[in-house]
Amino acid sequence: MAFGVYVHIPFCSTRCDYCDFATWTDRSHLVDDYVAACVADLGRRRATGGVPPATSLFFGGGTPSLLDPGQLRRITEAVDLAPGAEVTVECNPDSVDVAMLTGYRDAGVNRISLGVQSTVPHVLEALGRTHDRANVERARDAVHDAGITSLNIDVIFGAPGESADDWHTTLTDVLALRPQHVSAYGLTIEAGTPMAERVRTGSVTTPDDDDQADRYCAADQVLGDAGLSWYEVSNFAVPGHESRHNSLYWSGDDYLAIGCAGHGYTAPRRWWNVRRPEDYIERVSRGRSPERGSETLPAPKKVAENLMLALRTSRGVPAGSVPSGRATALVDAGLLTPAGDRLVLTLDGRLVASEVTNRLVDLPGTPGANSRR
């Protein structure tokens, strides 16, 4: 069975204007203690039993590439990895080079996710990103030269001032990098971020739904023509390079959360850690659990959530798992299509996936998530 370990690295050099993740730009002095706490937490959890070998290990953030290879290795060596496990690190194009990525590879990393978001200068500026196209190309070359053969590139559409031509430029530039995987997300305005403040003051407007839909359709066409097929609403991959770690979220499998603000799930219990790195370090160093809260999912809620997550994937859901009348209405509306004994979102359905879910299943609440990737 699939089992994942997610490690949250909450440190950043700068904070993007759209980001509301649990990240800090003034905590670099905590990195060594934080790594030690992650290692200790992993050791405590393994000692208590019930932690199977991990088929995937994912370092998210924040900017995990701020860890040097030695720090990263300390964590990977503390994880019981299954043979052939997928080990992913999210990286900022500004913070990688061949030597560092070679060290990551030697520590077991076999998949890199580059946070590119755009290759158009004024769009990058609107998002608060610090890299440029040349840095992205340099980072891609470093991944290749380090011998890491699976590359994901994250992009965001719908930024203030982004035109259809800008988005097409980004897609073209990304494909020129020859990634095996692309994650394409529509920009959302999160409360408390600098971008939300700019919306409040009227200096920028919220993304237009029709424009967002057009951008997504363009991505589906361009990426699909290049051989990257959609396998989850926001994710496209060359066959065989789908993210095994994120796939276990969508499949409802168990995963362990290490680090501050991480969310974990071991059926039927969902739990989450304290948000601040100082609190995580303090609790672990004192031999206390870093968990801040938890909930045990009633069986009906878990079934509904599994359907919601599965519906976002190209496998869809078993036709017999949903009310036939609702399914028929959504098929007739062109939002679902039969695929053997399953129902799969059409392109139009993917544009309104949440609405399709609401109409198809009774969903009492939504699950937490560790990462957008």
Side-chain angles (χ1 to χ4, degrees), residues 26-266:
D26 58 351
R27 304 288 197 275
S28 60
H29 60 286
L30 295 176
V31 172
D32 282 337
D33 288 342
Y34 186 83
V35 169
C38 289
V39 171
D41 194 11
L42 280 160
R44 177 183 64 85
R45 292 180 184 278
R46 289 178 64 181
T48 59
V51 180
T55 56
S56 65
L57 168 61
F58 194 105
F59 289 84
T63 308
S65 51
L66 291 178
L67 297 187
D68 66 40
Q71 292 166 332
L72 188 104
R73 180 187 286 273
R74 290 178 62 193
I75 298 175
T76 60
E77 289 182 344
V79 179
D80 180 15
L81 292 172
E86 175 192 85
V87 182
T88 302
V89 180
E90 291 184 342
C91 296
N92 186 313
D94 286 339
S95 61
V96 298
D97 56 36
V98 176
M100 189 188 82
L101 291 176
T102 300
Y104 279 13
R105 182 206 64 201
D106 293 343
V109 175
N110 50 30
R111 185 175 183 271
I112 293 294
S113 180
L114 284 180
V116 172
Q117 318 315 354
S118 176
T119 61
V120 178
H122 73 87
V123 177
L124 289 167
E125 182 179 359
L127 292 171
R129 302 291 290 182
T130 59
H131 66 262
D132 57 21
R133 179 176 173 178
N135 271 9
V136 172
E137 293 173 348
R138 180 188 57 79
R140 168 62 183 90
D141 290 344
V143 172
H144 179 270
D145 293 345
I148 298 174
T149 57
S150 196
L151 172 67
N152 171 62
I153 292 181
D154 274 1
V155 288
I156 289 177
F157 54 87
E162 181 189 65
S163 68
D165 286 344
D166 292 334
W167 177 232
H168 192 271
T169 295
T170 290
L171 292 172
T172 301
D173 289 346
V174 163
L175 288 176
L177 301 172
R178 301 179 66 84
Q180 291 75 36
H181 190 289
V182 174
S183 300
Y185 303 100
L187 177 68
T188 55
I189 306 298
E190 303 291 353
T193 62
M195 189 165 288
E197 177 62 16
R198 301 211 303 267
V199 170
R200 188 190 68 81
T201 60
S203 60
V204 301
T205 58
T206 56
D208 179 81
D209 289 344
D210 290 338
D211 285 345
Q212 295 280 68
D214 289 343
R215 302 284 192 276
Y216 180 85
C217 290
D220 183 72
Q221 180 71 51
V222 172
L223 298 173
D225 287 348
L228 285 83
S229 303
W230 84 280
Y231 71 100
E232 191 273 342
V233 169
S234 298
N235 290 274
F236 304 78
V238 173
H241 286 272
E242 298 83 359
S243 169
R244 279 187 268 158
H245 186 80
N246 284 345
S247 292
L248 67 84
Y249 297 151
W250 304 319
S251 298
D253 294 317
D254 290 358
Y255 50 93
L256 177 65
I258 297 296
C260 65
H263 285 67
Y265 175 74
T266 49

Side-chain angles (χ1 to χ4, degrees), residues 311-371:
L311 187 62
R312 292 183 60 86
T313 72
S314 59
R315 292 190 68 247
V317 298
S321 65
V322 296
S324 59
R326 300 184 192 182
T328 298
L330 290 166
V331 169
D332 291 344
L335 302 177
L336 287 176
T337 186
D341 61 350
R342 305 181 74 84
L343 294 169
V344 179
L345 289 170
T346 63
L347 176 57
D348 285 345
R350 280 183 269 156
L351 297 175
V352 289
S354 295
E355 175 62 22
V356 173
T357 298
N358 290 338
R359 291 168 60 181
L360 196 61
V361 298
D362 296 317
L363 187 66
T366 56
N370 289 317
S371 171

